[in-house]
Structure formats: C-alpha cells, structure tokens
Amino acid sequence: MPTKAYLLEFYELMLKIRMFEERVTREFRKGDMPGFVHTYIGAEAVAAGICMQLDDHDYISSTHRGHGHCIAKGCSFRDMLAELYGKETGLCKGRGGSMHIADFDRGMLGANAIVGGGIALAAGGALAAQTRKSDRVAVSFFGDGACNQGILHETMNLASIWKLPLIFVCENNGWAESTPTEYSTSVSNIAERAHGYGFAGLTVDASDAEAVYEAANSAVQCARNGDGPTLIEAKIGRMVGHYLGDPEGYRPKELKVKARSKDPIPDLASKLIDSNALTEMGISNIKDRINTELDEAVSYAKDSPLPSGADVDIGVYSE
Amino acid sequence: MSQQEQRIISGASAINEAIRECMEQDPTTILIGEDIAGGAGLGGQHEGAMGGSFGVTKGLLEQFGPLRVRDTPISEAAIAGIGVGASAAGLRPIIDMMWSSFTPLAFDQIFNQAAKMRYMFGGQAKIPLVLRMAMGAGLGAAGQHSDTLYSVFTHIPGLKVVVPSSPNDAKGLLAASIKDNNPVLFFEHMGLYGMKDEVPEGSYTYPLGEARLVQEGSDITIVAISMMVTKALEAATVLAEDGIKAEIIDPRTLSPIDYDSMVASIKKTGRLLIVDESPPRCSIAADIAANLSEMAFGYLQAPTSRITCPHSPVPLSPPLESAYIPSVEQIVSTARGLCCA
C-alpha cells in the first residue's frame, strides 16, 4: 500500500498534468501556438504512477500524447511551453514541438509522432542498462493504437528472450484516433498479449491511482531485479478528443460523458480528504501554486525569442 | 616497408579487424544482428561457429561475450530501433542488417527516428550508430538480396552513407564510422568480402567526407562508386592503350560528399563520367551529375555522362544479371565517346 505522503505527491503530480493540459488547451485556442497538440487529460494516473517509481537515470519513450510523461519525469513547465510555442528556449529549441518533445537530462528519450515509433527506443535504453550492468530500467509508453504495430511484437519478443529491464505501458483509451479498440484489436485485454511472449501482463483501471501504483511498483521491481519485462495495460476513459479541435463525429456523446464521470483526480482527492491527509483549503493552495507556475511559464514562453530562419539547417549532425 | 605493412588480407577479414579493434578500444561498442554468431545459446563448438552470413563477425562472440555480441531473432525493425535507443543512451552499437534489401523493414527506425533525433530534439541526442549491410548484384541473389540502396539513404538528412571500394578502405572507413557520433549506413559490396588487398595491421581511420584519388589522369574524370572503382580501373587500362588518360575518383562516402575533389579533377580533365551500380532515377549518379554540372559547368568540354543499371529490379538469370551491372565495355565506349566529342 502506498503511504499517505506518497498519495499526496501522486495527487499533486496528476493535478499538475491536468492543469498544464487545461492551460495548453486555452492557449492553443488563441491561435498562436503552432502545430498539433494531443492532451493527456484523463490518463494522468498512468504517467504519475509509473514515473514516480523512476529517477532521472531511468529511460522513458513517449508518444504523440506525451506532455504527461514529460511532467511526470520532471520536465519544467517553462521549457515545455517554450517548446510548444516553437521558441529557441524550448526543450528542443523549437525544432520539435508537442509531438517531438524530449528531455535527455531526465532520461526522456522523446515523444514520438509515429505510432509505436518509440517502443524499440526504450528497449535500447534497457539494453544499454543491461550491457552496463546498471540497475536502470526503461519504460515504453504507447497507446492501444500501437498494440497492432509489428515493432511492438518484435520488441516484446526481444525483451523477453534477453530479459531486458523494460516496462511496456499500454495506455488504452479505447480509441485509436477514430477507430474503437474493440474493432481493431483481437483481444479484449491487451495485457493478454504479454503471455504470448512469456512474461506477465497486468490490466489496471487508470482511474484508480492506487491500482496503477501497485502495478507500476511490481513491474519496476521486476525489471530492476533482472527478472525481465512486464506489460501494463492501463484502461483509460477518453475524456477529450484525439487532438485539440477534434469534432469527434465518430464517437457517441454518451461515451465521452461516461469517461468524464470516472476521473482519477477528484477520486483521489476525496480519498485523501476522507483520510484527513488533505483539506479543501489544501487543494486550493496546491492549485494556486500550480497556477502561479503556469502563469510564469506561459509569459516566459511567449516572451522568448523565436529561432532565426537562417539556422534552418544547423544542427542536423553531431560533431 | 616492413613485412607487416605489406600484409594482404580479404575484405571480410579487414572488416572483422575494424570491428574487433574498435570493440577492444571502447567497451561501449557492441554488435547486434541476425546470425552474427550462429548457434546462439548452444555453447560449445556450435555457438559462434557461423560468425555472420559472410563470416565477417567470426570470433567476436568468443572474444567479447554475449552481452556485447548479441545474436538476434529475425526482427529488423526492433533490432534497428534498439540500436537507435541504445546509442541515445550512450552505447555505440554496430547493427548487422545482413542485406541492404532488408533495410526497408527497419525504415521507420532509420528514417523517422535515427536520422531526425539530433535535429528534432534540438541537439540533445547523439546517435553513434552504424548499420552495416551487404549489397550489390553479381551473385545471382536476384530481386530481394542485391539492391545497392545507398541513394535512398543519401537523400535523408541526418544520416551518413559510406561505400568502401577496397579492403584497405573498408577497414579505415568502418573504424571512422564506428567512432562517428552520427548514424552511419555502411554498404559492403558482396564483391568486397573476397577481394584481397594490402591492409595495415592495427587501428587506422579514413575521414568521412574525403574522396580518394584512385588514379591520376588528364583526359576524363571517372567518378566510380563501390565495386565500380574496380571496373573503372580495368576500363582505364584499356583506355590507356588508346592514349586516353582517365582520372578515377572514389567518393568513399556519399553523405557527406567531397565535391571539391571532383571539381578539381574536372578543371584538369574537362570531362565527367559517373559509374554507379544503381537504377538511374533520383540516384547518387543523378545527384553528382547535377551538382557537378552546376559547380563546374564552365570547365566541361562535353556533356556529363552516367553509366547506371537499367530502371529495373535485379534479375536472376546470368545474361540478365550481367546486362544489369555496368560493364567495363560500357565504361570504355562511353569514355571514348566523350573524349572524341
């Protein structure tokens, strides 16, 4: 069982991700943020629950929906927002944007705009850890859409035969863009596919923070102990569209309403209040603190310089 | 010259030495690929007995152990991707792709991941990765085992592309590729493995991006790629009998590419012929022709000319395969035509 202090930190981290995404949604709608944005709203418990078990030396690879992974791995609002605005001060100097955000100092090997594109990269981080005989682990986050990509299957097999210290985390929100998972996928629980590759697969409800904690804890320990990979399938209610601006004509409205009715953040807040670990005033204080940090970060990002067009082909190669 | 410096070995042995020496020098250099050891997991006399489809990696498992020499299942995409991830995490992986015709299975990992990570992440990523592969026609391996494909990868910003034409070059260029901090595609022509050459013992490198002047001449510049260097040399011997002195340049690397050496040669000869074992469209031959025509137009006394393969897949049947590969006769007759123009 996680301690109260741990759950408080968990709650605050989820709230940080949610409030960041809500702010990004508002700022994006103003029209001066370039590119495509996919928010992590509704999945917060997954990034928080997994990444709280990791430190800066551990590796993660992320997806096009990667802001939550960044925040949970310790990226700052300032550096992330500057990147989203395409500024020279951004994490990737404005060359990547939302879908290609990365922070190598924190083991964050990049968001990835190719579905399934980051899975083998995390396995490479795990292979580096194993080759160096370190106790680092790697986590590959991917969505249900990636579970039918060949590279996931190739990588699950390799991770199993080499006992790589790798955790596969499938964020199953039931939809690959406009296609329901029940249509696209041959099993009702994606975690079952791990069994075909000889390792454990766990299905958890991503609206239950404690369940995510338990699964993450066992998978990370297994990897650190040299006992090989685990697949965690976190079932998420998709509370928002595929991307910011998605009219979602393909999805019955009641499904969205249903998804929004199971929200891990107020659920955990209620639990913490019931156990006297948190008060309404405490929540209000946390939100004020996060809002102050967001205000400062948005101003910093907006005031930061844009890259110069003259530098367009600089930095393609390493020295 | 000492006895050691005159050592003659095969291309396969030269490549093996480059890998072995780099792995001895740097514990972060590792080898990953299909059948690079053989008999994986069996131990005893069987494990490591194969040493790669062409015997190039023989003895490396024995010397460096299974953590650094990893035989893999047939999973090209995952192998390439794991190599990219491991290089982002600080190792220097050498991936054996076996045949260049298999790289399309790993194309996303090469094109969208390895090539772009440095730029897309604002300089955070360093991807010191080598993808080695056999290529080329001449063995009757036909459609899906004979493509050169280096032109495809030369098109992609963020990759380096190396095309050695001799065992000596292969050793020095492979060592440079392994020490380079970028993803490098290293194309080993099938004809290279059995070719014998003087190869120095011990470690040495040739810089990526510097062409080699293979033979000096004053009448025509022949830019020849990979195994076409050997054909150009044979053609030059025939041309010399006609009094035509051909200068032969081996670019050695296609990305980066050393146009300066080629321009300097054209200033001397006034004629340019490019010989490339690839289909002609959007190819390295087309690229070199276009660039040199722009850079050295004022010095050219005849139209730039190219000898390439036809625009077809590589066929099986011997008369078809030999019609596919650029020949010494084609080089001789085209060069004669240009010099008489």
Side-chain angles (χ1 to χ4, degrees):
Chain A
M1 275 291 288
T3 63
K4 277 184 189 173
Y6 190 94
L7 287 176
L8 265 177
E9 196 186 324
F10 199 137
Y11 171 74
E12 186 165 340
L13 184 51
M14 287 200 293
L15 200 56
K16 272 184 86 168
I17 298 169
R18 175 69 56 91
M19 291 173 68
F20 178 88
E21 296 292 45
E22 287 172 345
R23 184 65 181 264
V24 165
T25 302
R26 287 205 304 278
E27 299 297 334
F28 183 80
R29 288 189 173 137
K30 292 178 186 168
D32 50 0
M33 190 182 283
F36 304 154
V37 173
H38 308 76
T39 71
Y40 199 72
I41 287 172
E44 294 87 349
V46 186
I50 304 284
C51 293
M52 277 178 66
Q53 310 273 337
L54 308 178
D55 65 30
D56 284 354
H57 299 301
D58 297 317
Y59 302 107
I60 67 165
S61 69
S62 171
T63 70
H64 58 286
R65 199 178 299 288
H67 303 167
H69 308 134
C70 290
I71 294 166
K73 202 71 172 64
C75 303
S76 79
F77 286 170
R78 284 163 61 110
D79 299 343
M80 287 178 67
L81 278 162
E83 186 59 30
L84 265 54
Y85 277 103
K87 298 299 180 77
E88 190 70 42
T89 54
L91 270 170
C92 306
K93 298 182 179 171
R95 270 65 171 176
S98 171
M99 291 199 292
H100 313 101
I101 195 163
D103 190 348
F104 276 51
D105 289 343
R106 291 176 179 78
M108 197 312 194
L109 300 179
N112 214 300
I114 304 298
V115 170
I119 294 168
L121 304 181
L127 181 126
Q130 185 184 65
T131 304
R132 293 184 153 124
K133 301 190 168 90
S134 81
D135 72 343
R136 295 180 184 193
V137 302
V139 177
S140 170
F141 291 98
F142 54 92
D144 48 286
C147 81
N148 300 315
Q149 286 280 36
I151 196 158
L152 172 64
H153 294 265
E154 292 187 16
T155 307
M156 287 207 290
N157 181 61
L158 269 171
S160 182
I161 65 165
W162 287 342
K163 282 198 179 308
L164 292 180
L166 180 63
I167 299 108
F168 295 93
V169 179
C170 177
E171 298 175 331
N172 180 359
N173 69 7
W175 294 84
E177 191 156 355
S178 75
T179 304
T181 308
E182 57 203 33
Y183 169 84
S184 66
T185 303
S186 61
V187 288
S188 49
N189 289 318
I190 289 165
E192 289 168 34
R193 290 190 167 168
H195 308 151
Y197 296 99
F199 57 91
L202 312 169
T203 299
V204 296
D205 176 353
S207 69
D208 180 347
E210 288 175 70
V212 176
Y213 164 83
E214 299 292 349
N217 189 259
S218 94
V220 171
Q221 288 315 313
C222 179
R224 282 211 207 282
N225 293 339
D227 295 327
T230 305
L231 168 60
I232 297 174
E233 175 196 18
K235 296 215 178 192
I236 298 162
R238 197 172 97 176
M239 294 168 67
V240 293
H242 171 63
Y243 58 93
L244 283 185
D246 182 358
E248 289 195 89
Y250 52 82
R251 183 159 86 127
K253 279 214 166 53
E254 55 270 26
L255 290 182
K256 192 166 180 171
V257 173
K258 192 178 160 205
R260 284 178 172 270
S261 71
K262 275 182 72 182
D263 189 333
I265 298 177
D267 279 6
L268 184 56
S270 302
K271 276 187 198 163
L272 289 167
I273 288 169
D274 291 348
S275 63
N276 297 317
L278 189 63
T279 61
E280 293 290 353
M281 175 68 87
I283 292 174
S284 172
N285 289 341
I286 294 169
K287 286 185 175 171
D288 287 348
R289 203 163 65 233
I290 296 170
N291 267 328
T292 305
E293 197 185 333
L294 280 169
D295 289 343
E296 189 276 331
V298 170
S299 303
Y300 169 81
K302 286 187 166 175
D303 294 344
S304 284
L306 285 161
S308 158
D311 291 338
V312 64
D313 60 353
I314 305 293
V316 178
Y317 291 92
S318 303
E319 287 301 308
Chain B
M1 267 190 187
S2 76
Q3 198 67 25
Q4 279 189 341
E5 281 169 324
Q6 291 173 338
R7 194 178 57 127
I8 305 289
I9 63 171
S10 70
S13 299
I15 294 165
N16 178 285
E17 281 188 2
I19 299 171
R20 184 188 302 276
E21 286 163 8
C22 287
M23 290 183 77
E24 283 168 350
Q25 289 159 14
D26 177 4
T28 67
T29 301
I30 62 166
L31 198 59
I32 304 172
E34 296 160 7
D35 300 311
I36 56 173
L42 294 179
Q45 60 177 7
H46 300 294
E47 187 161 12
M50 186 174 180
S53 293
F54 315 106
V56 169
T57 47
K58 205 157 179 178
L60 299 174
L61 173 73
E62 197 179 10
Q63 186 174 347
F64 299 106
L67 269 187
R68 291 182 64 199
V69 178
R70 293 190 187 238
D71 233 333
T72 70
I74 300 172
S75 303
E76 285 84 2
I79 297 164
I82 280 176
V84 179
S87 64
L91 298 186
R92 287 187 179 274
I94 305 165
I95 308 292
D96 190 327
M97 293 302 297
M98 202 182 280
W99 294 92
S100 81
S101 302
F102 302 168
T103 54
L105 289 155
F107 197 71
D108 173 62
Q109 295 296 316
I110 300 169
F111 171 65
N112 275 313
Q113 314 300 337
K116 294 176 182 171
M117 283 169 80
R118 174 85 187 163
Y119 183 86
M120 200 164 67
F121 298 155
Q124 298 179 73
K126 199 169 81 174
I127 309 293
L129 175 72
V130 177
L131 294 145
R132 292 180 43 239
M133 64 207 84
M135 67 158 186
L139 282 191
Q144 294 170 340
H145 281 69
S146 307
D147 303 288
T148 56
L149 275 185
Y150 41 68
S151 295
V152 171
F153 295 100
T154 304
H155 177 73
I156 300 170
L159 301 179
K160 293 192 176 182
V161 177
V162 182
V163 283
S165 65
S166 72
N168 182 314
D169 270 16
K171 183 174 174 183
L173 290 168
L174 181 54
S177 300
I178 294 167
K179 292 170 202 287
D180 197 273
N181 285 328
N182 295 282
V184 180
L185 281 91
F186 193 86
F187 289 88
E188 300 164 9
H189 197 284
M190 283 304 304
L192 187 63
Y193 294 134
M195 188 191 277
K196 294 287 170 61
D197 190 15
E198 186 191 320
V199 177
E201 270 188 291
S203 186
Y204 63 94
T205 59
Y206 293 130
L208 306 185
E210 277 185 26
R212 177 167 68 103
L213 181 58
V214 179
Q215 173 176 303
E216 283 195 74
S218 51
D219 297 322
I220 182 167
T221 298
I222 302 178
V223 174
I225 293 151
S226 182
M227 233 10 67
M228 296 301 105
V229 170
T230 304
K231 300 231 163 152
L233 276 165
E234 283 178 46
T237 308
V238 178
L239 290 166
E241 290 164 13
D242 300 351
I244 296 171
K245 298 186 189 71
E247 177 145 302
I248 301 171
I249 293 184
D250 172 5
R252 277 181 164 166
T253 69
L254 304 179
S255 185
I257 190 160
D258 177 7
Y259 286 126
D260 292 348
S261 297
M262 299 177 206
V263 170
S265 179
I266 293 165
K267 285 182 180 173
K268 193 163 69 171
T269 65
R271 295 174 184 88
L272 173 63
L273 171 61
I274 303 149
V275 191
D276 174 23
E277 185 191 324
S278 298
R281 299 292 319 282
C282 293
S283 66
I284 189 65
D287 176 83
I288 292 172
N291 278 285
L292 292 182
S293 297
E294 284 174 1
M295 291 174 187
F297 186 74
Y299 301 96
L300 285 164
Q301 297 163 30
T304 296
S305 195
R306 289 175 285 155
I307 299 173
T308 68
C309 302
H311 205 59
S312 81
V314 183
L316 169 79
S317 185
L320 293 173
E321 191 184 40
S322 85
Y324 179 87
I325 305 168
S327 67
V328 173
E329 294 70 30
Q330 277 176 292
I331 303 171
V332 169
S333 67
T334 309
R336 274 187 188 139
L338 288 172
C339 289
C340 297

